[in-house]
Amino acid sequence: MTPQTTLEDRRASARDALERCQALVEPALKEAVGTLHPWPRRMVGYALGWCEADGSPAATAGGARGSVRPWPSSAPRPRGAPEEAAVAAAVAVELVHTFTLVHDDIMDGDERRRHRDSAWKAFGTGPAVLAGDALFALAAETLARGGGARSGAAVGLLAAALRELVHGQADDLLFEDRPWTGPEAVTLPEYLAMAAGKTGSLLGCALALGPVLAGAHPPVVLALTEAGRLLGTAFQAVDDVLGTWGDPRATGKPVHGDLFRKKKTLPVLAALSASTPDSRELAALLSSPAPLTEATAHRAATLMERTGARTATLTQARTLIAAACDHLTSAPLAPGAADELMGLSEYLLARYV
């Protein structure tokens, strides 16, 4: 894209790319999920937005995906080993992503996702854990069977990303037991390292799997992995902003949800690091053993706003996206590929601004 390309042009290009990828991947995703046992298959279909908890087709409103479309005429079924392997990789990433969301909602106690009950709330904790396990196993099988001659390397990359993801998730949970202030408080660098593992690792894997299957040179794989890791960390930063100030009609989650759980998010940590009367009042609110009420959560969000935490977090996200774009432009990608990936990065901030 030229320097004169407008923000709306980039976002329109990103929408086109997403629709093209969805048309290629979604039917293969449905085919893979169809191999599961009927009970976890229904739970997985619910988590993916394809059906309601009773198995009936999902409404298309409110962010749900609705029924999976057949192969459209505008996107013919991929033919040949490289194309089929790329679709298998995309399916595996989507399965793993959904697996992490199902289990993350259980760990965080989140009752809502995409404008309706989360999987554990709809089916129970045990069944939701089973559905997540099914997604994880199916992802590895899909990649191993459909990845072609380099499937072993691809599965290894996915496994390494999952190990890093678990590392980040473990840190996120451990952060909950650390104090809000003092020498044992969570630092901003610690948070960013956690987010890079919890969220960045899978996006880095998503960008690198295709090149690995295509036999790309290691520097290309490394550049894409690092770009994805940075984009994932930026995604988490924006998600933290939405978790505090987001409109429930857009996010599908209650307002101030992260504050009610007293999660150590990037905006909270940025606010506490301001060392102002507002940040000290915020620390007192969060350190209290009493749960936050709607009034005190609103007060906490106001205090964070006054410290500049929202602006600081979005600035951090923009910095991470810019660094990711530097990696993309440095890699010898096919014409237009870097532009499309950079256009998709606009969606990270477009969810909020």
Side-chain angles (χ1 to χ4, degrees), residues 338-351:
D339 285 340
E340 280 197 346
L341 290 172
M342 286 189 285
L344 287 171
S345 73
E346 296 286 354
Y347 266 56
L348 299 179
L349 289 176
R351 297 184 304 148

Side-chain angles (χ1 to χ4, degrees), residues 117-166:
D117 286 345
S118 53
W120 73 266
K121 185 69 174 178
F123 296 96
T125 301
V129 169
L130 180 65
D133 292 345
L135 283 159
F136 175 40
L138 185 59
E141 181 185 9
T142 299
L143 190 55
R145 290 191 175 197
R150 299 182 180 89
S151 60
V155 170
L157 181 67
L158 181 64
L162 282 168
R163 176 176 50 79
E164 189 177 355
L165 187 153
V166 169

